[in-house]
Amino acid sequence: MAVVKAIITVVFLIISVALVVVVLLQEGESAGLSSSISGGSGTFWEKNKGRSAEGNLKRFTKYAAILFMILAFVLNII
């Protein structure tokens, strides 16, 4: 059981560092509240953001955060 806990802890640490790095790599939302009030134009870039590197970073962040929570829960139980 100690080996399993050690492996899960190492994976947890790797996911933690990866999550911090990916969040820091993302660019901020510069439009903010002003675009929602003024209507904000739907440009080609905004419509296809999911297929870009920024979209991939957001997707990886979501999955890494889910895995982080699951591993934290498992480590708490063990």
Side-chain angles (χ1 to χ4, degrees), residues 34-72:
S34 63
S35 69
S36 64
I37 293 174
S38 64
S41 63
T43 63
F44 178 76
W45 173 252
E46 291 173 358
K47 291 180 181 176
N48 292 314
K49 227 177 191 177
R51 299 182 193 157
S52 67
E54 184 68 25
N56 290 335
L57 282 175
K58 285 186 180 183
R59 192 174 315 116
F60 181 77
T61 303
K62 178 173 56 174
Y63 294 136
I66 291 170
L67 187 59
F68 177 85
M69 293 296 181
I70 292 170
L71 288 176

Side-chain angles (χ1 to χ4, degrees), residues 2 8-10 13 24 30 51 53 57:
I8 292 174
T9 303
V10 169
L13 290 173
L24 289 176
S30 61
R51 299 182 193 157
L57 282 175

